[in-house]
Amino acid sequence: MKKVFSFSLSVIFYLFFGLTLVVFHAYQWIAFNAFGYQAHKKSVDILNFFLLRCLNIVGTRFQYNNSFTFETDRPHIIVCNHQSMFDIPPIIWYMRKLHPKFISKKELAKGVPSISYNLRHGGSVLIDRKNAAQALGEIKKLGKYISQTKRSAVIFPEGTRSKTGQIKEFASKGLTALLEACPEAVVVPVCVNNSWKLQQNGMFPLGVGVFLKLEVLKPHEAKNFKIPELIALLEEQISSQVQHN
């Protein structure tokens, strides 16, 4: 019965999910071309608010815990574990004051309404996973971008999502490149829990009744650490908060 329920709700979810992406693709295009960055950024924020409402269809609940105050006139590097593609909408919505930008594979640059447009025009970077030099170059470019604009970069050091929620070992090259390009950044570790349960069966059907939690952990001044020490500390912080199921 639960499987039938998840199939039915997943069909409804994808109907509204797809409709939301199509509608906001047009909204983004108008905002960006007619009014510029701030209007486009606002359209992306609202898009992700509605994507969270779409996830409510399959019974997903959200909890965002943050006891820290961010200085919006400084660049931030958000370091997060990665459990599913649904990690991204809550980060964009709940941390919208920091203007989060992402490191994405180049394959997403085309073909996905709203998402592809935002990746191309919103300040994120697109990398070729098969070309390490290109990827590191783009990550450094993102670091310089957030340094100049006082925005934030989101990086998932595990590289790929964890299908079981178990955290994977951090890969250091990308995060090192980002820290070297923006040494004045405030580094914000974020732990996501239970997102993997939405995709434990793949893209269909989605898990039903998931309680997705996002917790901001103690931030750090990048300049106060040697990079290897900071990466080890971030991995320890996040790992200690991951719920094992």
Side-chain angles (χ1 to χ4, degrees):
M1 178 61 82
K2 185 176 181 181
K3 181 172 277 191
V4 172
F5 197 49
S6 66
F7 268 80
S8 301
L9 289 179
S10 295
V11 169
I12 299 170
F13 163 80
Y14 277 114
L15 176 63
F16 280 93
F17 181 76
L19 182 61
T20 301
L21 293 183
V22 170
V23 169
F24 274 90
H25 187 92
Y27 185 11
Q28 282 188 70
W29 189 92
I30 294 169
F32 181 77
N33 289 282
F35 304 105
Y37 173 83
Q38 290 295 341
H40 176 243
K41 192 263 181 190
K42 190 71 174 179
S43 74
V44 172
D45 291 345
I46 298 170
L47 162 66
N48 282 275
F49 171 81
F50 280 104
L51 292 181
L52 297 186
R53 303 292 73 78
C54 289
L55 284 166
N56 290 152
I57 293 170
V58 291
T60 308
R61 294 173 295 147
F62 300 93
Q63 182 181 83
Y64 173 69
N65 297 320
N66 176 29
S67 58
F68 305 97
T69 301
F70 297 128
E71 300 175 57
T72 55
D73 59 345
R74 296 190 60 191
H76 292 71
I77 296 174
I78 299 167
V79 181
C80 186
N81 62 312
H82 195 22
Q83 296 188 349
S84 84
M85 73 176 192
F86 298 111
D87 300 340
I88 295 171
I91 291 174
I92 294 176
W93 174 248
Y94 290 115
M95 305 187 79
R96 60 192 180 276
K97 290 184 178 180
L98 295 182
H99 296 240
K101 312 302 175 188
F102 291 82
I103 301 161
S104 176
K105 57 184 181 181
K106 67 175 186 177
E107 289 81 3
L108 290 177
K110 296 180 180 179
V112 186
S114 280
I115 293 171
S116 296
Y117 191 87
N118 181 43
L119 288 173
R120 294 197 309 272
H121 299 285
S124 296
V125 295
L126 296 155
I127 64 170
D128 182 351
R129 289 183 173 180
K130 297 179 181 179
N131 186 335
Q134 184 271 350
L136 289 175
E138 289 298 303
I139 293 171
K140 289 178 181 179
K141 185 166 74 174
L142 179 59
K144 293 175 182 177
Y145 169 85
I146 65 168
S147 178
Q148 294 168 356
T149 60
K150 313 306 179 190
R151 294 168 186 163
S152 69
V154 180
I155 186 166
F156 300 110
E158 293 165 283
T160 58
R161 67 183 179 90
S162 170
K163 297 180 181 179
T164 63
Q166 182 74 37
I167 195 166
K168 297 181 178 181
E169 183 179 355
F170 280 15
S172 61
K173 288 185 179 179
L175 183 50
T176 296
L178 202 52
L179 289 165
E180 288 177 344
C182 189
E184 74 276 23
V186 177
V187 183
V188 184
V190 173
C191 180
V192 61
N193 273 303
N194 298 327
S195 173
W196 68 274
K197 295 179 181 178
L198 281 162
Q199 288 188 272
Q200 59 186 318
N201 301 313
M203 293 298 293
F204 188 91
L206 296 179
V208 173
V210 172
F211 188 15
L212 195 159
K213 301 177 183 180
L214 209 68
E215 183 172 2
V216 176
L217 308 176
K218 182 182 177 182
H220 305 283
E221 293 281 352
K223 63 185 179 183
N224 292 342
F225 296 85
K226 293 181 179 179
I227 290 177
E229 294 173 352
L230 179 55
I231 293 175
L233 174 60
L234 295 167
E235 185 171 6
E236 181 183 354
Q237 273 187 287
I238 296 171
S239 297
S240 69
Q241 296 302 312
V242 171
Q243 296 174 0
H244 301 288
N245 296 277

